[in-house]
Amino acid sequence: MDREPNTLADFRRQVTHLRTAEDTRWDASRKLVDASHIRRTLDQLAIAVQQSSLPAPLKETVVRALGRGFAGRIEDLPGEQLKELTGFPPTKAVRALCVLFGLVDRTIPSFPVSQLTSIEAEQFAQGHRNPFDLLLEADVASVLDLGAGDLSFAAELTDHYGPPLEARHKELILHCVDRLAPGSKLGGPLHPDAARLSQLRARAGAQFRFYGNRDMFDLDQLDRAGSLAPRYTIATCWAPATPTFAYEPTRLSQELIHEDLRRTKGAFWKTRVSGEHALEVQYSGRSLLFPPWKFEIRGPLALLDLLSRRGLLCVLGAVDGQVFWEILSQLLADARFRPANQILVPSMLPSLFGEVYQRLSRLPIGGSLHLADVAEIRADLPHVLDQSVGYTSLYRFRHVEIRRGATFENIPASSTARMFRNMVEEAPPWFLILVPDRAAKSAE
């Protein structure tokens, strides 16, 4: 933009001017509003608006006119608002905004976004044992694996779904993100080996990408480069990290968290090893080395927020007990499940969660229940991440299923999940299937 507008009138004049002043880019914008691209275009536009230097009130106005990240078609947009904002009817308004915010100038891979609704995703989840079978039925077979580690889940997924998808003439889009830096001496077996990485990249019928040294909560650079889809049919995270997601910082003070970490994990401090930053932990007389961010606390709200934005359907696998109960406390409606400044130690779980705890503790390995059958699901989850994509302040999951166990028949899993069968002293982990409500909006 030549000059940043300060008022709505300035903005409208600048947008309407583009129709005649930018013939080439205007023509190029046509492809961005066809049915196969529009949902992705609207998501990318919301990102571009929030990353611009427009005044905050004007950003809010533009994001609201773009449907706040919930629109999937031109018909879903508030036509009168767009007309007032740009001087154009909806389709031309979106095209003009694409020109203004540079979307037509980007060389972006085409990552289609499923047109399935949240209701359809919920119906599928309720009627099918295997959530990943949605890839066979959805219009787009795309998966985002967060914290992908050694890529064992990615390998199992492609082995299981590659052939049937190829038979249906559908491509599997599989994007994996992990914070470990390739080549780092820290992290040990969680690094993918070269052979597996090479096999995944060479797999016919799959569009595989692996992004190492990437914090799952800092994907802006990948988004700006068009390296990720704005939303995937399935977003998944296996063995959510402890202690990263085992404490909720909006519920617990930093002092209490650090005190509990030192009590349960041992003394720890930052150091350098072979030129790398590291975290050294003294545990049971041993000195253990981890990546420097190992004890960074994000909490379950951040993980749930990220999953809700990135997946039409979300899967959390091999969730250990500490992380699971902290996640559950955030998913339940009653605020009493989220006591301020109290660590959820095992001894307090029966009294705190009551009937919910009793029902869950009786689940056999492989058993499952729908959370809504036991207690009310929270309808006012807060977005705790940067709201730069135009999301409303609150959201909810319309469906939550909980299963007991690490692995399930015919369901791909990570190597960490498969290790549980040999860890006889460890309590069985948990498996969650969640469907975010794409229609949920806070009051204007």
Side-chain angles (χ1 to χ4, degrees):
M1 291 182 283
D2 296 331
R3 179 178 64 87
E4 292 298 341
N6 291 313
T7 69
L8 183 58
D10 287 343
F11 184 83
R12 176 168 171 160
R13 280 193 293 270
Q14 191 165 343
V15 174
T16 53
H17 175 70
L18 294 174
R19 177 64 183 86
T20 54
E22 298 282 355
D23 286 345
T24 301
R25 292 199 294 167
W26 177 263
D27 288 342
S29 70
R30 183 175 288 107
K31 66 182 180 182
L32 297 176
V33 294
D34 64 33
S36 63
H37 289 87
I38 186 60
R39 178 171 288 184
R40 181 170 179 273
T41 295
L42 293 173
D43 282 334
Q44 291 288 337
L45 260 180
I47 292 170
V49 170
Q50 291 287 5
Q51 290 172 348
S52 74
S53 55
L54 289 178
L58 190 50
K59 284 184 185 181
E60 170 64 19
T61 300
V62 178
V63 167
R64 187 166 58 246
L66 290 171
R68 289 191 175 277
F70 292 101
R73 306 174 303 159
I74 289 289
E75 293 80 6
D76 296 333
L77 297 174
E80 290 301 317
Q81 290 182 34
L82 280 171
K83 180 77 172 179
E84 181 182 357
L85 182 67
T86 67
F88 295 126
T91 300
K92 288 186 177 179
V94 173
R95 290 178 63 187
L97 292 174
C98 287
V99 173
L100 182 66
F101 290 101
L103 263 65
V104 295
D105 300 325
R106 303 179 184 181
T107 304
I108 299 177
S110 179
F111 297 132
V113 175
S114 175
Q115 300 299 304
L116 286 177
T117 66
S118 298
I119 294 174
E120 291 169 327
E122 179 184 19
Q123 290 171 342
F124 178 90
Q126 290 181 334
H128 294 77
R129 182 66 178 169
N130 187 342
F132 295 104
D133 281 353
L134 181 61
L135 299 174
L136 301 176
E137 299 195 15
D139 50 337
V140 176
S142 62
V143 178
L144 177 64
D145 188 15
L146 297 163
D150 64 359
L151 300 179
S152 51
F153 166 74
E156 287 199 17
L157 186 81
T158 54
D159 286 345
H160 193 93
Y161 288 100
L165 284 171
E166 195 170 1
R168 290 168 167 78
H169 306 289
K170 293 173 66 176
E171 182 180 52
L172 173 63
I173 299 170
L174 176 57
H175 294 166
C176 300
V177 175
D178 196 86
R179 197 169 182 180
L180 284 175
S184 170
K185 297 295 189 292
L186 305 169
L190 294 178
H191 287 280
D193 63 62
R196 176 173 288 161
L197 195 54
S198 178
Q199 290 168 0
L200 284 166
R201 285 172 173 162
R203 185 71 184 247
Q207 191 174 135
F208 169 79
R209 300 285 187 275
F210 173 62
Y211 303 107
N213 197 23
R214 302 281 181 171
D215 182 350
M216 69 172 74
F217 296 106
D218 186 16
L219 301 178
D220 288 352
Q221 186 177 2
L222 292 176
D223 282 325
R224 286 195 296 271
S227 301
L228 297 175
R231 188 166 296 103
Y232 294 78
T233 303
I234 298 176
T236 186
C237 179
W238 287 84
T242 301
T244 303
F245 302 115
Y247 303 91
E248 176 47 55
T250 65
R251 192 179 68 78
L252 304 169
S253 71
Q254 287 298 313
E255 294 77 14
L256 185 61
I257 292 172
H258 282 201
E259 177 186 329
D260 197 62
L261 281 173
R262 294 187 185 280
R263 180 180 62 83
T264 58
K265 308 297 183 185
F268 58 92
W269 54 86
K270 295 290 181 68
T271 186
R272 288 180 71 88
V273 178
S274 302
E276 285 190 76
H277 290 286
L279 182 75
E280 186 172 352
V281 181
Q282 289 292 324
Y283 181 75
S284 296
R286 294 183 297 159
S287 179
L288 306 175
L289 292 173
F290 299 96
W293 35 261
K294 172 67 175 176
F295 282 6
E296 287 182 12
I297 305 303
R298 297 307 301 254
L301 280 179
L303 180 60
L304 293 171
D305 192 352
L306 180 61
L307 288 168
S308 74
R309 298 175 184 228
R310 290 293 183 169
L312 180 64
L313 181 146
C314 309
V315 175
L316 287 169
V319 183
D320 77 15
Q322 189 178 3
V323 173
F324 170 75
W325 292 106
E326 196 68 53
I327 289 176
L328 187 64
S329 74
Q330 297 297 330
L331 289 173
L332 293 168
D334 196 327
R336 71 182 177 86
F337 298 118
R338 296 179 287 280
N341 254 11
Q342 290 189 50
I343 303 292
L344 301 186
V345 295
S347 61
M348 71 179 293
L349 298 179
S351 60
L352 177 65
F353 289 97
E355 176 62 18
V356 176
Y357 178 87
Q358 297 304 323
R359 290 283 299 274
L360 288 171
S361 63
R362 290 197 296 265
L363 277 182
I365 300 301
S368 68
L369 62 75
H370 292 169
L371 187 57
D373 292 341
V374 183
E376 184 182 356
I377 297 176
R378 190 175 178 183
D380 59 351
L381 281 158
H383 281 297
V384 296
L385 302 179
D386 174 20
Q387 296 183 35
S388 62
V389 252
Y391 288 86
T392 53
S393 58
L394 302 174
Y395 71 104
R396 73 183 181 110
F397 290 98
R398 60 182 304 121
H399 171 78
V400 178
E401 181 183 346
I402 299 171
R403 297 181 188 173
R404 194 74 194 266
T407 59
F408 304 88
E409 186 178 2
N410 293 324
I411 296 181
S414 71
S415 59
T416 303
R418 300 213 176 276
M419 286 178 188
F420 271 94
R421 61 189 167 195
N422 299 319
M423 299 164 66
V424 294
E425 294 183 2
E426 292 288 333
W430 303 87
F431 184 90
L432 290 88
I433 302 167
L434 309 100
V435 178
D437 191 348
R438 290 284 298 148
K441 297 184 180 183
S442 61
E444 297 286 346

